[in-house]
Amino acid sequence: MKKKVLVLFGGVSSEHEVSLVSASSVISRIPADKYDIKAMGITRDGRFLLYSGDPALLPESRWLEDESKLEKAVISCDRSHHGIIHLESGEIEYIDVVFPVLHGKNGEDGTMQGLLEISGIPYVGCDTASSAICMDKAVTNAMADFIGIPQAKWAAFGKAAYYAEKNALLRDAAEKLGFPIFVKPANAGSSVGISKASDMAELEKACDLAFTHDKKVVLEENIVGYEVECAVLGNEDPVASIPGEIVACNDFYDYDAKYLANKSELHIPARLSAEKLEDVRKTAIKAYSALGCAGLARVDFFVRKSDGLVMLNETNTIPGFTSISMYPKLFEASGIPYSELLDKLINYAIER
């Protein structure tokens, strides 16, 4: 019998739309000869709906337009159910594995993983703890410092402290990091809410923007280097892909450069020496293992131009799966086609 896979998409997150595009690709590429695929969307206001329509209609929320394809249902927290409850009929449907294609808050930050842990249903990707650690850039940075993985100089503070002693915090950050400074919400992805500040006025404006997305912000020094990404796959014995390089069409690889402008350059493999490519792969696996990742993650780096130092930027536990996303592209270049990659991810979830 085919195993039943529930693909989760959408979510109450600033990355809702990116999730819809990723899920459209995932649902259409999971091997249909091996799996019975169910799709469950989470609307922007948090409603759970089973969707039986065309996955091509997910982007721009077109999936919500045909009510005949929608059904109210929820994931059951009762471990004996091991699945979902159809709310109108009360029917319980067994699910073998969940594939959460949920980017950002309420999906990639450990909250959904916690629900699935309680439900007892295997799921693709990192567990609750590693998802939460990797989602919070300040915690990831602290862990990287402890592990001994090089990274940019950084600072972080919460909203209450910021508005209580703004001038002192900004002054200290400027002295420690030097301009330009990148300001990021601690818990957001897809470069949402990120700014590059070149002076004190811009730094204050950037922090105010970041605090509209999260209650904690991270400030990082500017690194002049190559932006390199490495995909990692597996549980106890993970493997790393060929690293790829991004040349942003904008001043930095922001949301527009990632998803809208469609003009950024991708180089697979990255334009580095064979020795440096291997250094990136080894560091990616080191970070992946130390942060407790399993199933998958995309580990992003800077390779500093001045001395070739490989520096951790961030770890994404549910990377994009759109047609232009680096994670599937990197493994395709490494000899694992998209559909085979999805099959492996599902099996790693069940194995774990």
Side-chain angles (χ1 to χ4, degrees):
M1 291 180 62
K2 295 182 182 180
K3 291 190 179 299
K4 191 170 293 186
V5 179
L6 179 69
V7 178
L8 289 175
F9 62 87
V12 183
S13 164
S14 58
E15 297 172 78
H16 180 95
E17 187 59 39
V18 180
S19 170
L20 299 183
V21 180
S22 287
S24 178
S25 295
V26 169
I27 293 168
S28 62
R29 301 294 287 276
I30 291 177
D33 59 330
K34 290 186 176 182
Y35 302 102
D36 180 9
I37 305 159
K38 306 283 291 189
M40 177 178 278
I42 303 171
T43 64
R44 292 181 186 275
D45 59 355
R47 292 174 294 131
F48 283 59
L49 298 168
L50 282 174
Y51 174 61
S52 58
D54 185 351
L57 297 178
L58 293 186
E60 302 175 4
S61 297
R62 289 175 293 164
W63 66 285
L64 291 170
E65 295 173 2
D66 186 354
E67 293 189 3
S68 68
K69 303 294 184 182
L70 303 175
E71 180 188 355
K72 294 179 181 179
V74 292
I75 297 170
S76 175
C77 294
D78 188 327
R79 294 176 74 91
S80 69
H81 292 167
H82 205 281
I84 59 177
I85 301 174
H86 296 256
L87 294 182
E88 293 183 7
S89 67
E91 176 192 354
I92 296 167
E93 183 174 3
Y94 187 94
I95 298 294
D96 289 287
V97 61
V98 171
F99 198 136
V101 189
L102 297 165
H103 307 310
K105 290 183 180 180
N106 304 303
E108 192 176 356
D109 57 1
T111 50
M112 181 57 67
Q113 290 74 16
L115 171 62
L116 296 171
E117 290 281 356
I118 293 170
S119 74
I121 308 171
Y123 58 92
V124 170
C126 298
D127 66 13
T128 304
S130 58
S131 296
I133 289 169
C134 293
M135 185 69 188
D136 189 319
K137 294 177 178 64
V139 176
T140 302
N141 288 357
M143 288 286 289
D145 281 344
F146 179 77
I147 297 161
I149 297 177
Q151 60 183 332
K153 290 185 290 185
W154 63 283
F157 40 77
K159 181 180 288 189
Y162 174 71
Y163 287 109
E165 45 186 335
K166 178 188 295 189
N167 292 336
L169 288 173
L170 294 181
R171 184 180 62 251
D172 290 348
E175 290 177 358
K176 177 181 180 181
L177 307 179
F179 287 107
I181 294 172
F182 281 94
V183 181
K184 309 175 179 181
N187 293 275
S190 295
S191 298
V192 173
I194 294 181
S195 304
K196 184 179 181 180
S198 299
D199 55 37
M200 292 298 290
E202 289 184 0
L203 184 59
E204 180 178 355
K205 183 179 179 181
C207 288
D208 290 339
L209 172 63
F211 277 125
T212 65
H213 294 278
D214 195 32
K215 61 184 178 182
K216 181 167 58 176
V217 301
V218 175
L219 292 75
E220 296 176 351
E221 70 167 325
N222 180 56
I223 301 296
V224 178
Y226 303 98
E227 292 195 46
V228 178
E229 299 183 351
C230 188
V232 183
L233 172 70
N235 293 336
E236 274 71 38
D237 189 22
V239 296
S241 72
I242 295 170
E245 177 191 351
I246 294 168
V247 181
C249 62
N250 294 345
D251 189 31
F252 64 96
Y253 200 41
D254 59 6
Y255 187 92
D256 178 75
K258 286 182 178 180
Y259 302 112
L260 303 179
N262 200 28
K263 294 180 180 178
S264 295
E265 296 178 22
L266 304 180
H267 298 276
I268 303 174
R271 297 172 299 177
L272 301 169
S273 67
E275 180 182 8
K276 192 58 62 178
L277 290 173
E278 185 59 23
D279 191 6
V280 170
R281 294 177 73 245
K282 288 180 178 178
T283 308
I285 289 177
K286 179 180 180 180
Y288 184 91
S289 299
L291 294 169
C293 298
L296 79 159
R298 195 194 71 234
V299 189
D300 299 349
F301 297 94
F302 296 112
V303 178
R304 196 161 60 190
K305 290 185 177 180
S306 61
D307 58 2
L309 183 65
V310 176
M311 308 175 74
L312 179 67
N313 180 18
E314 62 181 12
T315 301
N316 297 273
T317 56
I318 304 182
F321 273 91
T322 71
S323 59
I324 62 171
S325 294
M326 281 289 272
Y327 189 89
K329 279 182 174 290
L330 290 173
F331 269 118
E332 186 169 16
S334 303
I336 304 177
Y338 195 126
S339 291
E340 182 181 336
L341 177 62
L342 297 177
D343 184 36
K344 286 181 176 291
L345 289 171
I346 292 167
N347 280 288
Y348 279 128
I350 295 169
E351 173 190 292
R352 190 176 80 243

